[in-house]
Amino acid sequence: MTTAGPLVVVGDTLLDQDIEGEAGRLAPDAPAPVIDVRSDRSRPGGAGLAAALAARAGAEVVLVTALGRDAAADTVRRALHGRLTLVELPLDGTLPVKTRVLAGRRPLVRIDRGGGRPGAADDAVREVLAAAGTVLVADYGRHTARAVRAELAAAARHVPVVWDPHPKGDAPVAAARLVTPNAAEARALLPGSGTTLADDARRGRALAERWRAAAVAVTLGARGALLTRPATDTPMLLPAPYQADGDPCGAGDCFAAVCAAALADGALPEEAVERAVAEAAAFVSAGGAGNAALWDPAGEPAPAARPPSDAYALARDVRARGGTVVATGGCFDLLHAGHVGLLESARRIGDCLIVCVNSDASLARLKGPGRPLNPLPDRIRVLSALGSVDAVVSFDEDSPEALLGKLRPDIWVKGGDYCVEDLPEAETLRGWGGQALVLPYLQGRSTTGLARRAARSASR
């Protein structure tokens, strides 16, 4: 890290509990589901989760938070022990406990208990903040940051401060490098305006001006984040790299922690937000805060979430659910209407579509000099952007047969005037009970034809 001191996380720690089971019947005395409990897990939440995520990514982390003498606080201490340095403020009351009851991994109800008032900071807290290289404030509206506000204001004049705000909390200190409300929080802080992307951008700019912050990143869930600055009408949208399907609990903490760590490493706000959007998507895909690997006693990082382009993992997942894996292949050098129609038809056959695309060397051998027109990374990116395509994988050979042997799709699709018996892949598919199909292809559409028309147009 380029900064001299540690990443200091200041904020409200909670205890999060997940009671998970299956709901297969209603109670006899009321129309309420009966949950047969399969697991009951507790973990640090709020600032505790943000600090643990930052530490897990390799940063030297100090957590400044208020903890009491109750059982929930002791559970948090045990979970954080050995992961980071804990500097406590006294808590007059009990640690807040948020309990989710889930059935089939979907929340049914949340129960909130406990709460207290943070006490005054001592010299140890002030020394930690004075020595910080970067500061992250994880505000959950319970006023831990208020107890050290003067120290936070002083830190903001010298080191990057990232502030994750809460509608019930205090405003960020002036000169914060980055403030990270989600869209709902920003709307609660500035009520009365609309909910379009333009409205969120105006709201972010207004909040940046109100707070005198260098930048505000309004997080938009699956859409990514809007980076806004005071006195400018040009926001930057940092989109998520893929659609993350999973538990979003804790995604905001992950986003803020990654932003703080990136700024500590010398990243620009744009770079920090882009990195945080990608990491938050991976965090959600891996199970969110409920991912048991986050709190594995061995302390090993959880495997990175599978992006949509991981064709082999996707095929395994779909087969495990009893779904149908469809694959098709080709060069896709210049994507045209014929390709799009084929891919849309192929996707409707099964539960996922994997496209096997020739590498540059393979395509050159097949098509001759001057090809490919687009290099493999560009072709993969264009294909991956289509809604009909779930994954893309390349092969270097002249035929995709070896690749198909690894993917083992249920259906292999080709477009055009082939006969199934003429497809060399058909015999390969039969080896595991798969099937080769031929779909009709739009006439008059081809990459070669497009290239020739473009060449004629350029020579005029």
Side-chain angles (χ1 to χ4, degrees), residues 83 292-300:
R83 298 175 182 270
L294 291 174
W295 308 102
D296 190 304
E300 291 295 327

Side-chain angles (χ1 to χ4, degrees), residues 111-167:
I111 303 164
D112 290 0
R113 293 171 289 171
R117 185 175 65 254
D122 59 14
D123 288 342
V125 172
R126 287 187 283 271
E127 290 170 4
V128 163
L129 283 167
T134 306
V135 176
L136 167 60
V137 178
D139 189 353
Y140 274 73
R142 296 178 183 271
H143 307 308
T144 299
R146 181 181 296 178
V148 291
R149 187 170 183 85
E151 290 78 7
L152 292 172
R157 293 194 289 269
H158 305 288
V159 299
V161 171
V162 176
W163 197 294
D164 191 8
H166 191 281

Side-chain angles (χ1 to χ4, degrees), residues 18-21 36-41:
D18 279 352
I19 299 173
E20 188 167 359
D36 292 316
V37 176
R38 299 287 184 265
S39 65
D40 186 345
R41 299 189 300 272

Side-chain angles (χ1 to χ4, degrees), residues 16-17 20 61 105 136 160 216 271 282 312 326 351 441 448:
D16 288 342
Q17 293 182 329
E20 188 167 359
V61 175
R105 299 185 179 180
L136 167 60
V216 168
E271 296 170 321
Y312 302 103
V326 182
D351 298 289
Y441 202 65
T448 301

Side-chain angles (χ1 to χ4, degrees), residues 11 170 189 218 311 329 337 441 444:
D170 295 330
L189 290 161
V218 181
Y441 202 65

Side-chain angles (χ1 to χ4, degrees), residues 2-263:
T2 58
T3 50
L7 170 56
V8 178
V9 180
V10 178
D12 309 308
T13 294
L14 323 168
L15 182 67
D16 288 342
Q17 293 182 329
D18 279 352
I19 299 173
E20 188 167 359
E22 299 295 332
R25 65 190 190 281
L26 296 177
D29 56 340
V34 176
I35 307 299
D36 292 316
V37 176
R38 299 287 184 265
S39 65
D40 186 345
R41 299 189 300 272
S42 299
R43 61 184 182 273
L49 174 61
L53 291 172
R56 189 164 167 268
E60 178 191 357
V61 175
V62 179
L63 172 60
V64 176
T65 194
L67 295 176
R69 300 180 179 277
D70 54 299
D74 287 339
T75 299
V76 165
R77 289 187 184 97
R78 288 193 298 271
L80 296 177
H81 179 71
R83 298 175 182 270
L84 48 81
T85 300
L86 184 60
V87 177
E88 297 185 23
L89 278 70
L91 181 65
D92 182 12
T94 60
L95 196 73
V97 179
K98 297 183 180 294
T99 304
R100 296 192 305 171
V101 179
L102 303 96
R105 299 185 179 180
R106 296 183 178 274
L108 292 182
V109 67
R110 198 183 87 181
I111 303 164
D112 290 0
R113 293 171 289 171
R117 185 175 65 254
D122 59 14
D123 288 342
V125 172
R126 287 187 283 271
E127 290 170 4
V128 163
L129 283 167
T134 306
V135 176
L136 167 60
V137 178
D139 189 353
Y140 274 73
R142 296 178 183 271
H143 307 308
T144 299
R146 181 181 296 178
V148 291
R149 187 170 183 85
E151 290 78 7
L152 292 172
R157 293 194 289 269
H158 305 288
V159 299
V161 171
V162 176
W163 197 294
D164 191 8
H166 191 281
K168 294 183 179 179
D170 295 330
V173 296
R177 186 73 57 86
L178 186 63
V179 186
T180 62
N182 63 39
E185 290 166 343
R187 292 165 191 167
L189 290 161
L190 282 178
S193 51
T195 59
T196 67
L197 202 61
D199 294 322
D200 288 329
R202 285 193 293 270
R203 206 173 281 115
R205 172 187 168 177
L207 288 172
E209 292 172 349
R210 173 195 289 185
W211 292 329
R212 291 184 289 166
V216 168
V218 181
T219 59
L220 306 172
R223 290 189 294 170
L226 263 175
L227 182 63
T228 62
R229 286 186 167 84
T232 176
D233 291 321
T234 310
M236 177 180 288
L237 177 63
L238 288 307
Y242 54 88
Q243 179 69 38
D245 296 318
D247 188 350
C249 181
D253 297 304
C254 177
F255 180 88
V258 174
C259 282
L263 292 176

